[in-house]
């Protein structure tokens, strides 16, 4: 068993939370992760409040384990989602793509745990002062909307700068990533791309197949010039997008990305859609159940730790 401040804080068996991936993190995926002993997350993405409320109700029909809702702060519905989370007394909120500062007090008053994604040390420190319960420190290896720093460099710096628990994210898909994150000082991990390739994720088979086929350099970054870089698999759409980005500049890109994630996830158009995923896609070779993904990660962590302990040289080992 790996018990940390995160298993305790969230009342879960394993210190693993599922990424709040728009269109992908539906109640089916979240329920499967929560049932397997992690923290499942329903992603609000750009969806309306009523859609999210329905997802919450469907999840509650499937499990009575703890779960969370992710607010994508750039969404025009973010305020509505906050209202619904408060109304439904969701146990845990994660946030992404912005600073959730103005909502924290309201959540805290209702006993809702708040865990924002942060891409820098300074945002982690500011949010700790405002009373968040933990932070998800996400490296640039992650899929979707990303920051600049790597997981390897950022996680230990945030661990040294704050007292609250840290959850590492970006580039973690197996037991080695889990143990590495713990070695960097994290109390848990957030995993996204690995759960996209789960049996329970309601994601078009073409999307899952593209991740399984992906190699190490296939997950590239688009939109750096817009200030909203997004990591996504190379395809016909990214070639067109990067060409416009290079030759015409950021104004010409406006609207070009709209609807592209849904096109890939729901319709399975992996040529013209955005197949968002992290750099770790190249490591993923098969579809497994969420239970097997989590059980294998934590079972194999014992093997990794044993291997590390056998490396210890010097007098102790002789
Ligand atoms: O949010 C994500 N990943 C996402 S959101 C998304 S939907 C979208 N699609 C196209 C363009 C933009 C969004 C797809 N993937 N991950 C968490 C994350 N949060 N990564 C980076 C951040 C972040 C960035 C800046 C968090 C806070 C922040 O604060 C800036 C500030 O205001 O201080």
């Amino acid at each position: 068993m790996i018990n940390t401040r995160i298993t305790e804080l969230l009342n879960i068996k394993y210190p693993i939370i599922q990424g709040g991936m728009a269109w992908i993190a539906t109640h089916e995926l979240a329920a499967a992760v929560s049932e397997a002993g992690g923290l499942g997350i329903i992603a609000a993405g750009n969806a309306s409040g009523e859609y999210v409320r329905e997802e919450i109700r469907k999840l509650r029909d499937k499990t009575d384990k703890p779960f969370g809702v992710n607010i994508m702060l750039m969404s025009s519905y973010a305020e509505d989602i906050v209202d619904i989370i408060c109304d439904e007394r969701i146990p845990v909120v994660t946030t992404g793509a912005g600073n959730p500062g103005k909502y924290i007090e309201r959540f805290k008053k209702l006993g809702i745990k708040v865990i924002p994604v942060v891409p820098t040390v300074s945002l982690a420190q500011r949010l700790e002062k405002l009373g968040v319960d933990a932070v998800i420190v996400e490296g640039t290896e992650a899929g979707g909307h990303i920051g600049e720093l790597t997981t390897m460099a950022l996680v230990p710096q945030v661990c040294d700068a704050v007292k609250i628990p840290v959850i590492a994210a970006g580039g973690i898909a197996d037991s080695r990533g889990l143990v590495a994150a713990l070695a960097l000082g994290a109390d848990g991990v957030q995993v996204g791309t690995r759960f996209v390739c789960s049996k329970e994720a309601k994601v078009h088979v073409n999307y899952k197949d593209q991740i399984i086929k992906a190699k190490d350099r296939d997950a590239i970054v688009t939109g750096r010039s817009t200030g909203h870089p997004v990591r996504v698999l190379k395809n016909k759409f990214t070639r067109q997008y990067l060409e416009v980005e290079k030759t015409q500049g950021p104004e010409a890109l406006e609207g070009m990305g709209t609807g592209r994630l849904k096109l890939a996830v729901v319709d399975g158009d992996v040529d013209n859609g955005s197949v968002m995923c992290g750099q770790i896609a190249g490591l993923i070779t098969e579809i497994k159940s969420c239970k097997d993904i989590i059980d294998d990660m934590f079972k194999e962590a014992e093997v990794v730790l044993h291997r590390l302990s056998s490396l210890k040289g010097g007098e102790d080992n002789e």
Side-chain angles (χ1 to χ4, degrees):
M1 288 310 294
I2 296 180
N3 292 314
T4 69
R5 292 188 292 172
I6 287 300
T7 48
E8 198 155 305
L9 174 73
L10 302 177
N11 200 19
I12 53 179
K13 185 171 172 198
Y14 298 109
I16 180 169
I17 76 173
Q18 167 234 314
M21 303 166 284
W23 290 105
I24 295 169
T26 62
H27 71 277
E28 289 96 341
L29 178 60
V33 171
S34 286
E35 276 293 301
L39 188 80
I41 303 278
I42 291 170
N46 274 309
S48 70
E50 278 322 299
Y51 171 86
V52 175
R53 199 193 287 276
E54 231 3 76
E55 284 290 298
I56 293 165
R57 301 229 157 120
K58 287 178 187 160
L59 179 136
R60 282 185 159 141
D61 280 343
K62 281 181 178 270
T63 183
D64 52 14
K65 296 252 168 33
F67 69 99
V69 171
N70 174 268
I71 313 170
M72 206 282 277
L73 292 165
M74 278 165 51
S75 165
S76 48
Y77 296 105
E79 304 268 347
D80 293 352
I81 308 293
V82 170
D83 290 344
I84 283 163
I85 287 168
C86 292
D87 199 38
E88 295 279 338
R89 300 287 196 278
I90 303 301
V92 186
V93 169
T94 65
T95 66
N99 181 342
K102 62 179 171 187
Y103 306 122
I104 291 170
E105 203 180 302
R106 231 178 116 195
F107 290 137
K108 299 302 306 169
K109 276 198 178 131
L110 295 168
I112 296 170
K113 298 192 174 94
V114 188
I115 313 185
V117 169
V118 296
T120 58
V121 169
S122 62
L123 188 58
Q125 287 175 312
R126 265 183 283 151
L127 292 171
E128 178 179 46
K129 284 200 191 97
L130 294 177
V132 302
D133 296 277
V135 282
I136 300 162
V137 175
E138 189 180 279
T140 196
E141 296 94 320
H145 180 55
I146 49 169
E148 283 180 14
L149 299 167
T150 60
T151 303
M152 181 76 111
L154 184 59
V155 170
Q157 293 187 66
V158 175
C159 288
D160 282 357
V162 301
K163 292 203 177 68
I164 49 175
V166 164
I167 297 168
I172 302 167
D174 71 0
S175 56
R176 292 166 297 181
L178 164 67
V179 172
L182 297 173
L184 293 173
D187 300 275
V189 292
Q190 176 182 274
V191 168
T193 305
R194 177 62 268 198
F195 285 127
V196 178
C197 289
S198 66
K199 279 193 186 129
E200 294 89 348
K202 290 276 171 279
V203 169
H204 198 284
V205 63
N206 294 355
Y207 197 114
K208 296 184 185 181
D209 279 349
Q210 289 301 111
I211 294 179
I212 285 173
K213 279 194 209 132
K215 297 217 167 31
D216 52 352
R217 300 173 67 217
D218 291 341
I220 57 156
V221 180
T222 58
R224 283 203 197 276
S225 66
T226 66
H228 300 297
V230 172
R231 188 177 300 285
V232 51
L233 280 187
K234 243 192 269 189
N235 65 2
K236 181 174 151 205
F237 170 61
T238 63
R239 276 189 287 281
Q240 289 168 352
Y241 190 96
L242 288 172
E243 184 60 22
V244 173
E245 193 169 8
K246 194 165 80 186
T247 56
Q248 302 178 47
E251 305 78 40
L253 296 169
E254 233 160 88
M256 236 183 122
T258 311
R260 299 284 177 163
L261 180 60
K262 179 181 182 218
L263 192 60
V265 176
V266 180
D267 304 333
D269 184 346
V270 292
D271 297 320
N272 299 295
S274 277
V275 186
M276 291 184 192
C277 67
Q279 286 184 333
I280 206 67
L283 194 76
I284 297 163
T285 55
E286 56 177 345
I287 309 280
K288 298 203 280 193
S289 68
C290 291
K291 180 167 176 6
D292 285 348
I293 291 170
I294 295 175
D295 283 349
D296 290 353
M297 244 173 120
F298 284 86
K299 208 177 335 138
E300 286 162 19
E302 303 293 334
V303 180
V304 178
L305 288 168
H306 186 260
R307 182 162 61 79
L308 292 180
S309 72
S310 76
L311 292 176
K312 270 202 305 175
E315 285 159 33
D316 285 4
N317 244 16
E318 284 165 9

